């Protein structure tokens, strides 16, 4: 997925669109944040009153003089009043900050969760080949880390930026009202800061983008190694994998250091420029006090305002910088969301309640990568209720055939039809409901055995789950476990043997009452006796359903009405009577009689 650099305006528009449902909440946060400016402007006023009016006995400023009347003439009373005012302002400011953070967390976390859920749902919709190509970790990083950029841009970016701009304008107005010369001096640093941040923006954005790519790749190593730990251990490659991880991590550290250096240098410059401005204000301020143009209280007030003025200026400069890093994250998250699904839903799907089960391939060509053809001009027709064996050398494309029937991918040419209708005309959930699939490599979830079986039909009763397990010849094994059906099977079913996983996969298919059954080597990991028992159950299950069985053993195919022979990307269709010919054509290794299988040794 290319992360295309977009213009800031385009990105901002997109960000607003994605967060549209939360804009009222964010608006509330902004209003509360804006309140902080008048509160901050009021904070140094009691100090000014204390110095000028209480200590030096100067008259109070006009509106206060008429409000306070008698109090103004008594310094002790005035001091108490000034102290009360100071406490009141402090309390108001704390309350503002409390409500603001509550509303911020409430809004931003919901915004983030909602955005992440949409990304997750979209990742689920993307085709298997997309995930094979990109790797799951990159998607994980985009959902988990990059998605936070959306929240950041609003809560830590836009709101502080708007608040700072408001604070800047208001404070500037107040400072200019108090003293034009000092106000203009303070303002002189603004263009310098503006030019500085503008110049560094592109560099920071591209560095952040690169850092994110490398962090995601480093995470990928952990995920890959932990996923195939058995192999790593068996070949004693732990140290090599650690070195690979450390090397990738090291380049992340280098990048982050470079980014921190750039960011830190910028921070240093910003603060230094602000300090220059503040020093100039101090210089002119003290001169004015000495010349009698300003009172000490006024000078303290102006200095306090000027440092308040610099706070938003610094925020504005720093935030525009961090914003670049976050925009790089937002770009990556949006790129995932914009990734088109390779198996698109039809605009107006054909209704499909329960299929009869007629499957037809019409001149189907398919390739995973667009270069090497896996299937070429495949055509066959399977009537409803037929039992179809699929045979062929390993890697011939048998699993790929079933992959196309369930629309995990679409043919490059030709069409796959169910009940005479192109699969692309049905809605994907409707279509998938027609299939019960036992995968070649059974995949279980890290939950209980019962829940794993019920994955096919979550509303199934316990009796139905048990019946399915009995049919798959796994019930006795399950009840022999200390926790029975409540036994947790570990990640991907790691605590079970291959044959046990396969039979749980079968039970799952048994439970799903679907008109088409696909069994991809359903008994490859079990012994001959168990296989015979399972095949008996499969026989029963096949009644009235179209069934595809991929098998390498002859006896599994005995019950088939039709055999599809896959060879060099082409499919030859034959009846059960042609089995001898198929056996001869494929060779013993590929289509071995049961006597030569693993079970025969027992
Ligand atoms: N996700 C994928 N991306 C790219 N190529 C793939 C992918 N899956 C399978 N292939 C290739 O497509 C070809 C057919 O694979 P397929 O899994 O259909 O074979 P199969 O007949 O089921 O083999 P087996 O008997 O070993 O299960 C193989 O050459 C394989 O390398
Ligand atoms: Mg296969």
């Amino acid at each position: 997925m290319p992360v295309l650099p977009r213009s800031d305006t385009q990105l901002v528009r997109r960000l607003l669109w994605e967060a549209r449902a939360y804009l009222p909440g964010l608006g509330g946060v902004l209003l509360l944040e804006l309140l902080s400016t008048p509160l901050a402007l009021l904070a140094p006023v009691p100090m000014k009153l204390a110095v000028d009016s209480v200590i030096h006995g100067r008259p109070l400023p006009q509106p206060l003089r008429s409000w306070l009347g008698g109090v103004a003439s008594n310094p002790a009373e005035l001091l108490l009043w000034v102290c009360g005012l100071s406490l009141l302002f402090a309390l108001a400011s704390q309350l503002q900050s409390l409500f603001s953070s509550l509303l911020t967390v409430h809004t931003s976390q919901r915004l983030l969760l909602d955005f992440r859920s949409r990304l997750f749902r979209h990742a689920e919709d993307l085709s298997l080949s997309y995930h094979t190509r990109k790797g799951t970790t990159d998607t994980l990083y985009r959902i988990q880390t990059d998605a936070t950029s959306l929240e950041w841009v609003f809560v830590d970016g836009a709101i502080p930026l708007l608040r700072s701009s408001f604070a800047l304008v208001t404070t500037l107005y107040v400072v200019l009202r108090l003293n034009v010369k000092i106000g203009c001096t303070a303002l002189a640093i603004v263009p310098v800061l503006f030019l500085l941040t503008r110049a560094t923006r592109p560099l920071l954005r591209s560095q952040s983008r690169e850092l994110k790519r490398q962090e995601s790749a480093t995470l990928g190593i952990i995920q890959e190694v932990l996923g195939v730990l058995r192999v790593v251990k068996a070949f004693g490659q732990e140290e090599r994998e650690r070195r690979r991880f450390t090397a990738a991590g090291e380049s992340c550290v280098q990048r982050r250091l470079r980014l921190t250096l750039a960011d830190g240098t910028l921070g240093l410059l910003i603060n230094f420029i602000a300090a220059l401005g503040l020093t100039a204000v101090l210089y002119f301020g003290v001169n004015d006090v000495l010349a009698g143009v300003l009172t000490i209280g006024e000078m303290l007030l102006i200095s306090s305002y000027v440092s308040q003025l610099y706070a938003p200026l610094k925020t504005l400069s720093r935030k525009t910088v961090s914003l670049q890093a976050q925009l790089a994250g937002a770009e990556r998250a949006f790129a995932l969301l914009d990734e088109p699904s390779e198996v698109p839903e039809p605009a107006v799907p054909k209704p499909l309640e329960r299929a009869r089960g007629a499957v037809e391939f019409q001149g189907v060509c398919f390739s995973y990568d667009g270069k090497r053809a896996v299937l070429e001009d495949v055509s066959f027709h399977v009537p409803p209720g037929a039992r179809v064996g699929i045979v062929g050398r390993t890697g011939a494309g048998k699993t790929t055939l079933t992959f196309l029937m369930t629309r995990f991918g679409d043919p490059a040419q030709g069409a796959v039809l169910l009940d005479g209708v192109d699969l692309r005309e049905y809605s994907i959930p409707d279509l998938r409901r027609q299939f019960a699939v036992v995968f070649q490599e059974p995949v279980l979830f890290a939950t209980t055995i019962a829940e794993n079986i019920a994955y096919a039909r979550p509303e199934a009763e316990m009796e139905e789950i048990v019946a399915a397990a009995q049919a798959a010849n796994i019930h006795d094994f399950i009840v022999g476990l200390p926790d029975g059906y409540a036994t947790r099977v570990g990640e991907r079913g790691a605590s079970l043997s291959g044959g046990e996983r396969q039979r749980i996969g079968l039970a799952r298919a048994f439970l799903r009452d679907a008109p088409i059954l696909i069994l991809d080597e359903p008994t490859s990991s079990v012994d001959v006796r168990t296989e015979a028992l399972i095949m008996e159950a499969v026989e029963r299950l096949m009644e009235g359903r179209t069934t595809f069985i991929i098998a390498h053993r002859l006896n599994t195919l005995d019950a088939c009405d039709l055999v599809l022979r896959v060879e060099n990307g082409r499919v030859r269709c034959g009846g059960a009577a042609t089995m001898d010919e198929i056996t001869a054509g494929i060779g013993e290794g590929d289509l071995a009689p049961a006597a030569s299988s693993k079970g025969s040794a027992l």
Side-chain angles (χ1 to χ4, degrees), residues 234-288:
F235 289 95
Q237 296 297 326
E238 294 93 331
E239 192 47 34
R240 189 173 99 179
E241 295 301 347
R242 187 197 62 78
R243 280 202 302 273
R244 191 157 72 99
F245 173 73
T246 316
E250 181 58 35
S251 65
C252 285
V253 173
Q254 295 290 343
R255 285 223 166 260
R256 196 164 273 288
L257 262 177
R258 248 178 280 163
L259 192 65
T260 311
L261 182 68
D263 194 28
T265 313
L266 188 69
L268 186 143
L269 287 173
I270 291 172
N271 280 305
F272 184 69
I273 295 168
L276 274 180
L278 213 55
T279 313
V281 167
L282 185 73
Y283 178 80
F284 290 117
V286 172
N287 266 338
D288 279 1

Side-chain angles (χ1 to χ4, degrees), residues 484-545:
Y485 278 86
T487 307
R488 302 187 79 86
V489 299
E491 209 172 329
R492 291 171 156 255
S495 61
L496 299 176
S497 80
E500 286 154 5
R501 278 202 294 273
Q502 199 158 44
R503 282 179 287 158
I504 290 179
L506 266 171
R508 190 189 271 168
F510 285 174
L511 190 63
R512 187 174 179 109
D513 176 29
I516 306 168
L517 198 60
I518 295 176
L519 308 169
D520 196 345
E521 302 192 31
T523 53
S524 60
S525 306
V526 298
D527 61 76
V528 171
R529 218 153 39 110
T530 313
E531 178 180 18
L533 287 169
I534 291 177
M535 285 318 291
E536 249 179 61
V538 169
E539 285 272 312
R540 262 178 280 131
L541 189 74
M542 291 197 296
E543 280 303 317
R545 299 171 210 268

Side-chain angles (χ1 to χ4, degrees), residues 452-507:
N452 262 298
I453 298 177
Y455 197 74
R457 198 146 57 81
E459 72 287 355
E461 301 288 336
M462 195 58 205
E463 297 87 72
E464 295 174 286
I465 296 175
V466 172
Q470 279 167 337
N473 201 26
I474 184 84
H475 173 74
D476 292 344
F477 162 76
I478 299 171
V479 291
L481 293 169
D483 292 331
Y485 278 86
T487 307
R488 302 187 79 86
V489 299
E491 209 172 329
R492 291 171 156 255
S495 61
L496 299 176
S497 80
E500 286 154 5
R501 278 202 294 273
Q502 199 158 44
R503 282 179 287 158
I504 290 179
L506 266 171

Side-chain angles (χ1 to χ4, degrees), residues 1-2 122 126 130 133 334-342:
M1 183 192 322
H122 188 70
L126 288 175
Y130 168 82
R133 208 170 55 240
F334 292 153
L336 173 64
L337 210 53
D338 295 344
E339 185 68 34
S341 170
E342 284 162 39

Side-chain angles (χ1 to χ4, degrees), residues 372 374 392-398 400 552 566 568-569:
R372 190 166 63 101
V374 176
R393 283 181 192 282
T394 177
K398 305 181 294 296
T400 308
H552 285 287
V566 190
N568 294 333

Side-chain angles (χ1 to χ4, degrees), residues 424-436:
R424 287 170 280 212
E425 291 181 36
Y426 295 124
S427 92
I428 294 173
D430 274 357
L431 175 72
R432 303 248 166 92
R433 226 171 336 104
Q434 311 304 320
F435 292 88

